[in-house]
Amino acid sequence: MKVKIEIKNRFTGKILFEFETENNTILKTLKEAIMRGADLSGADLSGAELSGADLRGADLSGADLSGADLRGADLSGLKIQKTAVFTGLYKYIAMPIITQDNKHYVRLGCYTRLVSDWQNDFWNNSNEFPNNGDLDSKYRLMAFEFCKKWIELNK
């Protein structure tokens, strides 16, 4: 049976991509969207079954991945063992990531880096988040600390 699935923008409800095929799933639709180069920024993928998905090259900035199963997914070349997606901690998403080779990464907005790299150069985005003690910078630092704590509890 053919099933049509739409991926919508979580803020506007606008359809970002739609795909119809036999026995369709959100994973099949997402793979097709990535293959066709669809802009999925702001996509609502909450609760999606994405384990094992190859998400390299997908623009998921601002996407809602809360509750999505990302085990084994390939995000920016990382094979994910365990992750979480946090929104509302600061301006962008915050994702602590434990990879299958037991490395620890944090994604803040569009930057995905090893925890150690963040610690060596946290203020890597001085245009948007200067180290000036303003509220935005404090929220970003809080999001990073929250992600590190999540990794510590889940490794």
Side-chain angles (χ1 to χ4, degrees):
M1 174 163 106
K2 283 194 173 187
V3 177
K4 181 166 125 181
I5 294 179
E6 299 172 338
I7 299 175
K8 296 182 179 182
N9 183 288
R10 71 186 199 136
F11 303 108
T12 66
K14 176 185 168 198
I15 297 171
L16 300 173
F17 185 81
E18 62 184 12
F19 182 62
E20 183 175 6
T21 191
E22 293 290 327
N23 302 314
N24 200 7
T25 65
I26 188 66
L27 183 56
K28 284 182 184 179
T29 301
L30 184 59
K31 285 180 179 181
E32 189 70 20
I34 293 167
M35 186 180 75
R36 293 185 190 184
D39 180 0
L40 299 174
S41 54
D44 182 0
L45 298 171
S46 56
E49 168 56 54
L50 302 175
S51 59
D54 183 351
L55 302 176
R56 290 176 295 173
D59 181 358
L60 296 172
S61 56
D64 182 358
L65 294 166
S66 59
D69 183 353
L70 294 166
R71 285 176 291 180
D74 191 336
L75 180 70
S76 301
L78 306 177
K79 292 285 190 178
I80 296 171
Q81 177 184 49
K82 197 169 194 181
T83 189
V85 179
F86 299 108
T87 59
L89 294 176
Y90 90 121
K91 187 175 181 177
Y92 302 108
I93 66 162
M95 287 179 66
I97 301 167
I98 301 172
T99 60
Q100 290 178 345
D101 59 356
N102 204 33
K103 291 184 180 172
H104 304 142
Y105 290 82
V106 169
R107 180 179 186 129
L108 295 176
C110 62
Y111 293 100
T112 304
R113 303 165 73 198
L114 284 165
V115 170
S116 59
D117 290 342
W118 279 110
Q119 289 172 323
N120 290 332
D121 180 28
F122 181 76
W123 302 104
N124 65 322
N125 188 355
S126 59
N127 290 332
E128 190 169 8
F129 295 103
N131 184 9
N132 63 5
D134 72 356
L135 194 55
D136 287 339
S137 294
K138 288 178 181 177
Y139 278 138
R140 184 175 188 242
L141 183 57
M142 177 194 69
F144 174 63
E145 294 298 329
F146 189 88
C147 287
K148 285 193 327 185
K149 187 64 173 176
W150 183 94
I151 289 170
E152 187 62 36
L153 293 171
N154 285 279
K155 59 181 174 174

